[in-house]
């Protein structure tokens, strides 16, 4: 079968594709072998430097507390970012300029400022305003909230715009007010369309908690690259591999949950909206009905 964007390859095309696949597999295997030999030459596969990760104390006193720190920051920031995005995204759709313009200014400003700069600014400003204390957690959470919330505000706005115009026109035609149209017609359909983009941005948020390393927030990255190598000398590379695997598992679990929620929401309601993608955010492979489309 053929599609608009792709023609099924013929016999020669299939041979060419199989050859390219084989060459790519060989290249990847060669790269992995080169990495393995390099680590082996430096003694990174010796049992003594991997032994700490087989001990319960390492997990109990270092890795699990770091994981808890990452999940605490990600969970708090995710809830606040979703609330921020919903409020300012809907505010940008207001008919009143005194609401729409300031909301747009806030969203554009915090989208434009680098996340690391936001974290630094909050971390060093808080002691001058509230006195001494440990503000690492607050700086990480607020920085993630402001940046990712601004991106999610654009997702909300694009999601509402992705619903067919006839939906709102029909609702107005039967006498609904604007807040009823938004609450009962547009948002239920937009949420289904926004789900891939929202979860994609939450994956970005989870990974960005690693920026807390710069201000000594105790998370997975801090444990893996500062604390564990100091306690168990020579374990930097093994710690990095273990921490990386944990991050991959967290993101895969979040992606699986997103796929499950999206399938259920699409079965439970029909929508005229197409999936939207967060502007400037990383996309993950969600098995939605048709991929991630960018909107206005």
């Amino acid at each position: 079968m053929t599609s608009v964007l792709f023609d099924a390859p013929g016999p020669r095309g299939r041979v060419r594709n199989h050859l390219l696949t084989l060459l790519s597999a060989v290249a990847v295997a060669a790269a992995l072998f080169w990495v393995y030999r390099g680590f082996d030459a430096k003694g990174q596969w010796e049992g003594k430097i991997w032994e700490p990760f087989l001990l319960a104390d390492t997990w109990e006193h270092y890795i699990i507390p770091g994981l808890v720190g990452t999940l605490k920051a990600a969970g708090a920031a995710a809830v606040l970012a979703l609330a921020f995005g919903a409020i300012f995204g809907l505010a940008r759709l207001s008919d009143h300029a005194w609401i729409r313009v300031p909301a747009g200014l806030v969203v554009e400003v915090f989208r434009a400022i680098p996340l690391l700069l936001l974290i630094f600014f909050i971390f060093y400003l808080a002691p001058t305003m509230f006195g001494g204390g440990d503000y690492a957690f607050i700086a990480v959470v607020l920085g993630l909230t402001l940046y990712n919330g601004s991106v999610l505000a654009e997702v909300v706005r694009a999601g509402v715009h992705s619903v067919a115009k006839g939906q709102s026109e029909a609702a107005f035609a039967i006498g609904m007010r604007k807040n009823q149209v938004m609450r009962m017609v547009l948002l239920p359909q937009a949420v289904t369309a926004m789900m891939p983009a929202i979860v994609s941005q939450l994956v970005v948020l989870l990974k960005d908690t690693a920026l807390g390393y710069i201000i000594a927030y105790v998370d997975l990255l801090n444990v893996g690259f500062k604390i564990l190598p100091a306690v168990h000398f020579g374990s930097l590379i093994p710690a990095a591999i273990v921490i990386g695997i944990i991050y991959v598992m967290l993101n895969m679990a979040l992606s699986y949950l997103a796929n499950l929620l999206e399938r259920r929401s699409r079965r439970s309601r029909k929508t005229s909206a197409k999936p939207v993608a967060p502007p400037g955010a990383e996309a993950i492979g969600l098995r939605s009905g048709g991929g991630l489309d960018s909107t206005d």
Side-chain angles (χ1 to χ4, degrees), residues 136 149 220 289:
L220 277 173

Side-chain angles (χ1 to χ4, degrees), residues 141-214:
V141 170
L142 286 183
L144 291 170
T145 297
L146 294 174
Y147 177 77
N148 292 281
S150 298
V151 175
L152 289 173
E154 286 296 282
V155 172
V156 171
R157 185 175 70 90
V160 172
H161 281 165
S162 70
V163 180
K165 191 175 180 181
Q167 299 285 316
S168 57
E169 291 176 347
F172 283 125
I174 63 174
M176 284 188 174
R177 295 187 296 272
K178 182 175 180 180
N179 65 335
Q180 292 177 310
V181 173
M182 181 65 70
R183 188 178 70 254
M184 301 174 65
V185 177
L186 298 181
L187 280 180
Q189 297 186 67
V191 166
T192 301
M194 292 185 295
M195 186 65 70
I198 289 174
V199 178
S200 174
Q201 195 60 35
L202 292 181
V203 170
V204 174
L205 184 151
L206 175 62
K207 293 188 294 184
D208 283 347
T209 56
L211 293 175
Y213 172 89
I214 305 297

Side-chain angles (χ1 to χ4, degrees), residues 82-288:
L82 287 170
F84 184 101
I87 293 170
F88 281 87
L90 294 177
R92 295 202 68 181
L93 296 171
S94 174
D95 293 334
H96 305 289
W98 61 274
I99 296 177
R100 184 177 65 254
V101 173
L105 182 62
V106 169
V107 168
E108 294 301 329
V109 166
F110 286 119
R111 279 180 61 201
I113 298 176
L115 175 55
L116 187 58
L117 182 59
L118 277 176
I119 293 175
F120 269 130
F121 182 76
I122 296 169
F123 183 71
Y124 289 110
L125 178 65
T128 63
M129 296 183 62
F130 306 109
D134 185 6
Y135 295 99
F137 176 77
I138 295 175
V140 171
V141 170
L142 286 183
L144 291 170
T145 297
L146 294 174
Y147 177 77
N148 292 281
S150 298
V151 175
L152 289 173
E154 286 296 282
V155 172
V156 171
R157 185 175 70 90
V160 172
H161 281 165
S162 70
V163 180
K165 191 175 180 181
Q167 299 285 316
S168 57
E169 291 176 347
F172 283 125
I174 63 174
M176 284 188 174
R177 295 187 296 272
K178 182 175 180 180
N179 65 335
Q180 292 177 310
V181 173
M182 181 65 70
R183 188 178 70 254
M184 301 174 65
V185 177
L186 298 181
L187 280 180
Q189 297 186 67
V191 166
T192 301
M194 292 185 295
M195 186 65 70
I198 289 174
V199 178
S200 174
Q201 195 60 35
L202 292 181
V203 170
V204 174
L205 184 151
L206 175 62
K207 293 188 294 184
D208 283 347
T209 56
L211 293 175
Y213 172 89
I214 305 297
I215 57 173
Y217 176 66
V218 180
D219 66 339
L220 277 173
L221 191 67
N222 196 299
V223 167
F225 283 85
K226 277 186 180 178
I227 301 176
L228 276 175
V231 176
H232 302 286
F233 181 75
S235 63
L236 178 62
I237 298 300
I241 293 173
V242 171
I243 298 302
I245 291 173
I246 294 175
Y247 271 114
V248 170
M249 293 174 63
L250 288 174
N251 289 328
M252 289 179 65
L254 186 57
S255 300
Y256 175 80
L257 178 62
N259 289 324
L260 183 63
L261 291 175
E262 188 188 4
R263 285 196 299 267
R264 287 188 175 182
S265 64
R266 287 193 177 275
R267 284 199 302 263
S268 62
R269 69 168 66 98
K270 295 181 179 179
T271 176
S272 63
K274 296 180 180 180
V276 297
E282 300 175 21
I284 58 175
L286 298 177
R287 295 184 296 275
S288 59

Side-chain angles (χ1 to χ4, degrees), residues 3-37:
S3 68
V4 176
L5 300 178
F6 178 75
D7 290 329
R12 297 176 66 180
R14 287 195 295 271
V15 171
R16 182 176 62 250
N17 291 343
H18 292 325
L19 181 60
L20 290 175
T21 300
L22 178 62
L23 292 176
S24 300
V26 171
V28 170
L32 291 175
F33 181 72
W34 178 77
V35 171
Y36 172 83
R37 287 294 301 272

